[in-house]
């Protein structure tokens, strides 16, 4: 499938934060969005995810009515409930989002992020890094053709960084599309690059 | 959708969920009334249904502001908004779960609190039935208020103020149906039917308004 954005522009307050952003990705390709703080990386991802209104342009995913339905969004917040166990959290998203073909069980997903034995603990008991890795496990329990990743490895140590890089490469090898905003190299395979410049973009 | 329903019920029952807070508040409000009004049993039984209804209304408003705010704080709201399922349906299911966890306990507790107010069995039964039928409307109206105030840091009071005017008809017809059951000449069914109609109406309008508000409130 193809995942495309055309002439995207978004407003933050009065001014355009960015404009004329276009990309087109097909199976197995990745886009690495870089740029200084405040340059609009997160805003771009939220616009692509349909969570913010696009001032100009549009996003489309082949075969989907709304591009957002094709996407996994891993934002700054983990979207997991502290009171529920890890397994309940993962099972909930799997049921609610409709697992799909190739989705793995909560236990397998936890093992894939290297935290196999602790799915019975409440999510709130885990450390910040472990919570982040469990949020990544969410990407595996539901099958979506596109991952939108916003600073995915911010709280992680080097080993977890490498683990996540491998997850991403495996996903690309299966034909997945990744759009990632990050300061660190993620270990993506042959990513296209998009450098955000923030307000400088505007005349 | 069943998964969402079950998750919300679990969250409400677990520590910090607040399902019991509403009942405790309800009990506190009703329990202090006899101390304030004095030991006039006739007066207590006359104002009993109204006090129960007001107590239930205030308790129902208590936890409503967290309905979407908690989802927003941990990022779950983003994912709920992105799904293929119609957002109206998601909101409706969340309302149902919220009512089962927070509204239903109030209905169940009301007969016991009716005894505090020296109400007879007919009045207690009528209050139970009108609360059962009318309290879902409070949740559906409240959902719209909670969605409007979702991104405000101290939205709790604002939700109550936004929601109260819309909840007044529910209160009026709930109380008048209860009194109609107790006092002979007034017929019970007309106000009760209107109460039912209000609940059904808000079951449609509430989730719809809430989903519109959620869509436009993203940041």
């Amino acid at each position: 499938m193809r995942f495309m954005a055309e002439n995207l522009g978004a407003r933050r307050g009065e001014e355009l934060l960015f404009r004329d952003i276009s990309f087109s990705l097909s199976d197995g390709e990745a886009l690495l969005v870089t740029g200084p703080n405040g340059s609009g990386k997160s805003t771009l991802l939220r616009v692509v995810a349909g969570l913010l209104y696009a001032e100009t342009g549009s996003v489309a995913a082949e075969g989907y009515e709304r591009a957002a339905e094709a996407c996994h969004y891993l934002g700054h917040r983990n979207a997991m409930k502290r009171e529920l166990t890890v397994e309940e959290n993962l099972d909930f998203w799997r049921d609610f989002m409709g697992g799909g073909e190739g989705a793995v069980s909560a236990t397998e997903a936890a093992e894939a992020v290297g935290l196999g034995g602790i799915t019975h603990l409440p999510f709130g008991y885990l450390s910040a890094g472990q919570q982040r890795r469990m949020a990544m496990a969410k990407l595996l329990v539901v099958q979506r053709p596109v991952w939108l990743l916003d600073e995915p490895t911010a709280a992680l140590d080097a080993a977890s960084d490498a683990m996540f890089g491998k997850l991403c490469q495996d996903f690309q090898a299966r034909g997945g599309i990744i759009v990632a905003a990050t300061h660190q190299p993620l270990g993506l395979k042959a990513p296209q690059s998009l450098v955000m410049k923030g307000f400088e973009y505007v005349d | 959708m069943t998964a969402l329903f079950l998750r919300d019920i679990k969250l409400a029952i677990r520590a910090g969920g607040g399902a019991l807070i509403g009942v405790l508040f309800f009990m506190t409000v009703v329990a202090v009334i006899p101390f304030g009004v004095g030991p006039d049993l006739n007066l207590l039984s006359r104002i009993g249904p109204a006090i129960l209804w007001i107590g239930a209304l205030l308790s129902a408003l208590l936890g409503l502001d967290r309905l979407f705010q908690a989802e927003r704080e941990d990022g779950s709201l983003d994912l709920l908004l992105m799904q293929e399922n119609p957002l109206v349906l998601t909101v409706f299911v969340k309302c149902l779960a919220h009512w089962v966890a927070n509204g239903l306990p109030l209905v169940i507790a009301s007969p016991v609190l009716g005894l505090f107010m020296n109400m007879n069995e007919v009045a207690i039964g009528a209050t139970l039935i009108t609360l059962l039928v009318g309290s879902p409307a409070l949740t559906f109206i409240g959902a719209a208020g909670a969605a409007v105030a979702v991104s405000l840091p101290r939205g709790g009071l604002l939700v109550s103020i936004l929601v109260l005017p819309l909840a007044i008809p529910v209160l009026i017809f709930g109380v008048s149906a209860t009194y109609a059951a107790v006092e002979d000449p007034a017929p019970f069914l007309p106000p009760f039917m209107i109460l039912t109609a209000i609940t059904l109406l808000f079951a449609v309008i509430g989730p719809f308004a809430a989903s519109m508000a959620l869509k436009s409130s993203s940041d």
Side-chain angles (χ1 to χ4, degrees):
Chain A
M1 73 162 248
R2 291 197 72 73
F3 187 67
M4 293 156 291
E6 260 180 71
N7 300 323
L8 278 185
R11 206 175 272 282
R12 265 309 207 199
E14 288 296 298
E15 291 170 275
L16 278 173
L17 189 46
F18 55 80
R19 64 174 192 191
D20 296 341
I21 300 245
S22 302
F23 58 80
S24 171
L25 300 165
S26 54
D27 289 349
E29 292 186 334
L31 176 71
L32 198 61
V33 185
T34 52
N37 294 131
S39 60
K41 300 188 295 293
S42 296
T43 308
L44 175 66
L45 280 190
R46 290 185 71 82
V47 169
V48 171
L51 296 167
L52 276 180
Y53 178 71
E55 197 66 27
T56 60
S58 62
V59 187
E62 242 173 33
Y64 288 85
E65 205 172 308
R66 278 194 317 151
E69 288 163 17
C71 300
H72 254 306
Y73 175 69
L74 182 62
H76 293 273
R77 289 166 294 190
N78 291 325
M80 306 275 265
K81 293 286 175 198
R82 302 176 56 82
E83 298 87 352
L84 301 181
T85 67
V86 173
E87 193 173 2
E88 283 169 331
N89 267 304
L90 292 174
D91 281 342
F92 162 68
W93 285 118
R94 187 184 153 91
D95 286 352
F96 185 76
M97 294 169 72
E101 248 177 76
V104 302
S105 75
T107 323
E108 286 171 296
E111 272 160 19
V113 295
L115 295 172
I118 58 172
T119 50
H120 61 285
L121 290 177
F123 185 69
Y125 283 17
L126 307 185
S127 77
Q130 288 174 327
Q131 289 187 346
R132 196 61 181 160
R133 279 151 75 185
M134 283 305 184
M136 288 163 176
K138 200 169 69 228
L139 301 172
L140 302 174
V141 294
V142 184
Q143 188 62 36
R144 289 286 147 96
V146 181
W147 288 3
L148 305 175
L149 310 171
D150 194 357
E151 306 271 5
T153 54
L156 297 186
D157 55 31
S160 309
D161 253 7
M163 175 277 297
F164 188 61
K166 184 158 180 322
L167 279 188
C168 289
Q169 283 182 6
D170 288 350
F171 180 60
Q172 282 184 289
R174 291 197 306 269
I177 294 170
I178 297 180
V179 179
T182 182
H183 294 292
Q184 289 127 341
L186 279 181
L188 299 179
K189 199 168 60 190
Q192 299 176 26
S193 171
L194 174 66
V195 182
M196 303 291 286
K197 299 201 188 80
F199 286 112
E200 288 168 35
Y201 240 93
V202 183
D203 299 327
Chain B
M1 281 297 151
T2 328
L4 181 64
F5 183 80
L6 293 177
R7 178 191 76 147
D8 275 20
I9 301 246
K10 258 186 224 160
L11 282 172
I13 295 170
R14 299 252 166 109
L20 278 175
I21 301 288
V23 182
L24 280 176
F25 181 74
F26 188 28
M27 206 179 79
T28 318
V29 169
V30 176
V32 298
I33 297 288
F35 294 105
V37 172
D40 180 347
L41 289 180
N42 287 333
L43 178 64
L44 280 180
S45 66
R46 205 164 71 239
I47 62 172
I51 297 295
L52 282 190
W53 254 96
I54 293 171
L57 171 66
L58 295 179
S59 318
L61 294 180
L62 202 62
L64 267 174
D65 59 309
R66 297 296 295 164
L67 187 58
F68 300 114
Q69 215 173 41
E71 302 281 358
R72 183 179 174 277
E73 275 164 15
D74 64 19
S76 303
L77 186 61
D78 291 340
L79 300 195
L80 294 180
L81 287 172
M82 283 171 68
Q83 300 316 312
E84 200 177 343
N85 319 321
L87 186 58
V88 180
L89 194 62
T90 307
V91 172
F92 183 76
V93 170
K94 277 190 75 65
C95 290
L96 273 189
H98 186 270
W99 180 75
V100 170
N102 296 272
L104 201 54
L106 299 179
V107 178
I108 294 167
S110 66
V112 183
L113 299 178
L115 294 177
F116 287 16
M117 301 301 293
N118 188 36
M119 285 156 66
N120 62 30
E121 54 275 23
V122 178
I124 286 178
T127 310
L128 183 74
I129 291 174
T130 49
L131 274 178
L132 182 68
V133 171
S135 57
L138 302 176
T139 307
F140 290 125
I141 301 168
V148 169
V150 66
S151 57
L152 302 175
R154 293 194 60 81
L157 186 63
L158 184 68
V159 172
S160 305
I161 292 170
L162 279 175
V163 161
L164 237 116
L166 291 166
I168 295 293
V170 184
L171 181 67
I172 290 175
F173 286 104
V175 173
S176 62
T178 314
Y179 277 123
V182 184
E183 290 157 14
D184 226 3
F188 170 72
L189 267 184
F192 185 72
M193 294 298 219
I194 294 179
L195 184 66
T196 318
I198 291 174
T199 299
L200 292 176
L201 179 74
F202 279 119
V204 177
I205 295 180
F208 182 70
S211 65
M212 297 294 276
L214 285 178
K215 268 183 199 158
S216 59
S217 76
S218 52
D219 57 340

